[in-house]
């Protein structure tokens, strides 16, 4: 983002979101994370809604960078990297707070069409990435020939969404959820000769 | 629930939740759905938090009734009934509004330990039901002998949670999500001789 003050505001939005959550967040809270006044934030964004649409656009850029560059030589490795990026939180507790705020934001989607539109883009991007990796894996003979990339991508998108929800809501460890997803990969996707796991 | 006025209040809570969502819901909104004053609701519940804990306890009773009595002669039929109960919304649009409000509520779990405790109970009950059905299906030879009931139940709990989240957030049709789940059942669980789906 070329515009420096706007970037400052979006960075401040991230910090304020982690600290206060979404529901009760005000432009004043965001201003408190910058050297700007609430009025100068209003110069850039008319409302909290408008600011959050810009915030999600910025997040989407970061998301496609992170999720689109899944390192790995094989489809399996690329899928594991993707699960890791999406599910593990490392030691960084602000990631966890951020995911909580994102779940609040998601729950607002039915009331807020521009917000929903953005969230659909995240979902579709993830689905496409998964489909592409699955398809590459099948063509390389690494995944079982019976794997239907679109069908499995749909299912994995759903399961990843559920893992993120359960991580926030019932505090399931992200390591456990990562294990669940890689277990699926090993049991359901790998061609027999590549499978290391006894059923 | 034997206490009539308290039941009235919880019924009113359901209606108010569907109408206003959770984040901005006040005791006044709930009172407006009854013939009671806000003060008389305070007689029963000190705060919105306390009311919602009672509300979730009541919902849990209904949930265990609905999810615990999955009709069907076979494990497969029982699982399909369970998916149907959990994922389809029929023509009842209030179910959809209710699910939206529940997602808002879930996003509050990290800030509200008594709420989280209740939500964990829902999650655990679902996991146990799934494990029991999977285990019965394996013992009956209906599901593949390689199916590990606990591991698959964990995965299905995650996927069902994700289906509910996606239904609310990106407005995926519940029929499509139901199809995704029954597809998993057909591809991954059924013993070969019971499978009707060509891979």
């Amino acid at each position: 983002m070329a515009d420096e003050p706007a970037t400052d505001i979006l960075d401040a939005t991230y910090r304020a979101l982690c600290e206060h959550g979404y529901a009760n967040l005000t432009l004043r809270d965001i201003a408190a994370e910058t050297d700007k006044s609430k009025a100068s934030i209003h110069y850039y964004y008319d409302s909290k809604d408008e600011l959050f649409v810009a915030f999600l656009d910025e997040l989407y850029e970061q998301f496609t960078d992170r999720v689109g560059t899944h390192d790995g030589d094989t489809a399996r490795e690329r899928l594991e990297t993707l699960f890791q990026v999406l599910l593990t939180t490392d030691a960084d507790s602000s990631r966890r707070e951020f995911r909580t705020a994102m779940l609040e934001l998601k729950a607002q989607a039915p009331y807020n069409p521009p917000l929903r539109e953005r969230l659909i883009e995240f979902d579709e991007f993830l689905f496409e990435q998964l489909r592409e990796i699955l398809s590459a894996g099948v063509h390389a003979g690494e995944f079982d020939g019976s794997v239907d990339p679109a069908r499995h991508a749909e299912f994995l998108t759903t399961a990843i969404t559920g893992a993120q929800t359960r991580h926030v809501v019932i505090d399931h460890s992200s390591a456990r959820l990562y294990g669940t997803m890689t277990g699926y990969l090993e049991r359901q996707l790998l061609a027999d000769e590549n499978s290391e796991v006894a059923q």
Side-chain angles (χ1 to χ4, degrees), chain A residues 165-180:
Chain A
T165 302
R166 289 179 91 206
H167 178 55
V168 170
V169 179
I170 68 163
D171 203 15
H172 247 28
S173 86
S174 54
R176 178 166 164 186
L177 292 161
Y178 174 75
T180 300

Side-chain angles (χ1 to χ4, degrees), chain A residues 59-145:
Chain A
L59 272 189
Y60 183 74
E61 294 296 319
Q62 296 173 14
F63 181 75
T64 55
D65 278 356
R66 275 193 311 138
V67 171
T69 53
H70 17 76
D71 292 334
D73 290 335
T74 64
R76 177 195 181 147
E77 283 171 17
R78 289 171 68 205
L79 207 50
E80 284 173 347
T81 307
L82 190 59
F83 291 159
Q84 203 147 17
V85 166
L86 291 164
L87 297 176
T88 61
T89 45
D90 345 280
D92 183 358
S93 70
S94 84
R95 288 294 309 158
R96 207 201 130 80
E97 289 157 4
F98 177 66
R99 288 219 177 123
T100 302
M102 282 301 286
L103 191 63
E104 283 186 81
L105 203 71
K106 286 178 178 177
Q108 297 306 311
Y111 311 120
N112 189 329
L115 199 72
R116 159 166 284 162
E117 217 173 274
R118 266 69 185 184
L119 292 170
I120 289 175
E121 284 173 6
F122 283 80
D123 189 275
E124 284 175 348
F125 183 80
L126 175 57
F127 170 81
E128 279 306 330
Q129 290 295 309
L130 287 164
R131 190 168 65 156
E132 190 269 311
I133 297 175
L134 290 167
S135 180
V138 171
H139 285 126
E142 195 185 345
F143 292 159
D144 197 274

Side-chain angles (χ1 to χ4, degrees), chain A residues 13-87:
Chain A
T13 302
Y14 182 92
R15 292 191 298 275
L17 199 55
C18 292
E19 191 174 343
H20 302 283
Y22 176 75
N24 301 313
L25 191 66
T26 63
L27 290 186
R28 193 179 303 275
D29 296 326
I30 295 166
E33 297 284 335
T34 68
D35 53 2
K36 293 185 180 50
S37 65
K38 191 180 152 213
S40 73
I41 293 184
H42 267 300
Y43 172 81
Y44 291 93
Y45 306 105
D46 277 346
S47 65
K48 182 178 163 182
D49 279 358
E50 203 177 288
L51 188 154
F52 267 90
V53 164
F55 179 69
L56 280 181
D57 286 341
E58 173 72 10
L59 272 189
Y60 183 74
E61 294 296 319
Q62 296 173 14
F63 181 75
T64 55
D65 278 356
R66 275 193 311 138
V67 171
T69 53
H70 17 76
D71 292 334
D73 290 335
T74 64
R76 177 195 181 147
E77 283 171 17
R78 289 171 68 205
L79 207 50
E80 284 173 347
T81 307
L82 190 59
F83 291 159
Q84 203 147 17
V85 166
L86 291 164
L87 297 176

